[in-house]
Amino acid sequence: MMLSDGILGPARTKPSGFLPRQRFRTRPVSNHKPLLLSALTLLIAVLSGGCSQRPGQPAAGDSAASTVADTSLPSADELRDRIDRAVNFGRANRHLDGDTNAAWQVVHGLLAFGKDFEIYHGGKLVPALDYLLSGGELNGWKLRKADHGVQSILEAGSKTGMGHPDQWLGYLSQSGLKLDTPLVVAGETYHVSDLLEQSEWDIYPGMEATWTLMAYSTYLPFDAEWTARDGSQWTIERIVNMEADQDVDGSPCGGTHRLYGLALALNRHLAEGGQTIGVWKKADAKIQSAIAKAKANQQPDGSFSSQFFLRPAHSDDIDKRLGASGHTFEFLALALNNQQFLEPWYTRSLVAILDMLERTEDVELECGGLYHAMHGLELYRLRRFGPPDAPPAESTPATAAATPGAGGNVASDSAASEKTSAAK
């Protein structure tokens, strides 16, 4: 899933490896349309103060907020409104086409928008999640009945199908999908839990378990223990240890996905009364090192390094710049403690992403970077301001579980233009 030159947007000459063109249609968007945050109910429950929040550690408050104001950054209200508009625009105006686009791209859209993500199928907009779960066909969406449930077929390195172990399950877990949700495979009805049970059976030492950890940290009891196919015994803590031992810089997308999984697991561990000792201390050290590098490598315009945590770097390619900033911002939305979350450097990165999105509303954008940026914005919005339909509140990170926002979709399409899309 390393960055390349895949895009989502208007027609251009199609280099080798690009997916077929899609119809990419535009809708009018109201600046006041509420976000639909169905993906984040469970996620915000384990955020609390972020990975490094400890008893007695300063929480975000007037000091951090005033520092942001002193640097002439936008007000909290302006940031909230800009986030809402950017996410509304992306959801209502950038649509994939199930006849030409692949599962890799669509599942990334589900990560960003959950059940509210729509794609074109047969010339009409349909809810992408409902379409796939009801047995809809899509290039790269390959599931089969297996010995302990339902198995997603791995196509290592694929940018159409599932390129990493449990990638579908990991992203579906972050979209708010419940385990008892029906799942149709080859005409038979199963449930999302069947994907999870098969994954538990198939896990093995040394595997890439980044998306596995996302799913298990969301779905399993945290004290769960189970036996895999090879007879090995597993716990979430063992997976955390395995992932924390991996090299960040050599991991997909600069290591941001691996760090996201570790942050998600550590947040839940802390939320359930755990301490940062042993394996969890190692995971926290990995996360804190990445936070420090992200800040040190940040560019003067507020964007994050196009070389992620490796070194400072700037790219003139908007896809690479948005992809690196969006992935890094998404991870940090989980990993920062309350004080770090409101520090000016992180707010500047938010402004940089919003600037990029606002300047490219009529420009083609690569799917992966776009949808990870959108998901990061939703995490930030919910953590700092709460769900869009909540009463106005003080600008502090949310610490309680939140219910999904309410609202409808934007009205029917008013224009259409040729777009090209490919995956990274």
Side-chain angles (χ1 to χ4, degrees), residues 103-141:
W104 189 96
Q105 299 159 298
V106 172
V107 173
H108 276 76
L110 291 174
L111 170 69
F113 302 122
K115 67 180 180 61
D116 302 305
F117 182 58
E118 295 180 315
I119 62 174
Y120 279 99
H121 173 65
K124 296 181 180 180
L125 280 175
V126 299
L129 188 59
D130 290 349
Y131 174 73
L132 290 178
L133 296 180
S134 63
E137 296 183 358
L138 189 65
N139 183 22
W141 181 254

Side-chain angles (χ1 to χ4, degrees), residues 366-418:
E366 184 274 327
C367 297
L370 171 67
Y371 290 137
H372 280 290
M374 289 291 175
H375 187 229
L377 292 180
E378 291 192 311
L379 289 172
Y380 185 98
R381 207 283 186 202
L382 187 57
R383 185 174 175 185
R384 182 169 182 181
F385 303 112
D389 58 343
E394 294 297 322
S395 174
T396 55
T399 57
T403 55
N409 292 318
V410 182
S412 60
D413 295 352
S414 61
S417 60
E418 285 289 343

Side-chain angles (χ1 to χ4, degrees), residues 12-32:
R12 61 163 61 165
T13 303
K14 194 166 48 175
S16 174
F18 271 48
L19 296 183
R21 288 185 180 179
Q22 62 153 26
R23 292 293 296 177
F24 180 86
R25 315 191 184 192
T26 304
R27 291 178 169 188
V29 178
S30 165
N31 290 349
H32 306 290

Side-chain angles (χ1 to χ4, degrees), residues 12-247:
R12 61 163 61 165
T13 303
K14 194 166 48 175
S16 174
F18 271 48
L19 296 183
R21 288 185 180 179
Q22 62 153 26
R23 292 293 296 177
F24 180 86
R25 315 191 184 192
T26 304
R27 291 178 169 188
V29 178
S30 165
N31 290 349
H32 306 290
K33 195 70 180 176
L35 283 163
L36 304 181
L37 294 177
S38 60
L40 306 175
T41 303
L42 176 60
L43 207 54
I44 195 65
V46 300
L47 272 170
S48 293
C51 289
S52 344
Q53 192 70 24
R54 305 286 183 271
Q57 183 178 9
D62 293 340
S63 176
S66 63
T67 302
V68 172
D70 290 344
T71 60
S72 301
L73 290 166
S75 68
D77 286 347
E78 182 180 351
L79 288 173
R80 182 196 62 230
D81 292 345
R82 288 180 69 185
I83 291 170
D84 288 356
R85 187 188 184 283
V87 176
N88 285 338
F89 184 92
R91 185 182 61 244
N93 289 268
R94 294 187 184 272
H95 293 110
L96 300 177
D97 191 326
D99 295 329
T100 56
N101 294 115
W104 189 96
Q105 299 159 298
V106 172
V107 173
H108 276 76
L110 291 174
L111 170 69
F113 302 122
K115 67 180 180 61
D116 302 305
F117 182 58
E118 295 180 315
I119 62 174
Y120 279 99
H121 173 65
K124 296 181 180 180
L125 280 175
V126 299
L129 188 59
D130 290 349
Y131 174 73
L132 290 178
L133 296 180
S134 63
E137 296 183 358
L138 189 65
N139 183 22
W141 181 254
K142 298 179 181 179
L143 307 178
R144 65 186 174 195
K145 180 181 178 181
D147 47 5
H148 277 63
V150 173
Q151 187 177 59
S152 300
I153 298 176
L154 176 65
E155 300 179 63
S158 172
K159 301 302 185 289
T160 56
M162 191 178 75
H164 305 276
D166 291 324
Q167 189 177 23
W168 292 172
L169 182 63
Y171 282 156
L172 290 176
S173 76
Q174 301 309 288
S175 74
L177 196 63
K178 295 181 179 180
L179 285 174
D180 60 358
T181 304
L183 170 66
V184 177
V185 178
E188 296 186 36
T189 300
Y190 300 89
H191 295 85
V192 174
S193 59
D194 290 305
L195 284 170
L196 179 65
E197 291 175 17
Q198 185 65 44
S199 171
E200 291 177 277
W201 181 242
D202 290 339
I203 194 171
Y204 61 90
M207 69 174 280
E208 181 185 27
T210 295
W211 287 266
T212 309
L213 183 57
M214 291 182 198
Y216 291 7
S217 297
T218 301
Y219 286 140
L220 290 179
F222 225 54
D223 59 355
E225 298 180 7
W226 69 96
T227 302
R229 180 191 303 274
D230 62 1
S232 57
Q233 301 298 308
W234 288 89
T235 62
I236 291 176
E237 186 170 301
R238 181 179 178 182
I239 301 173
V240 169
N241 187 53
M242 188 166 71
E243 283 290 289
D245 280 339
Q246 302 305 309
D247 174 56

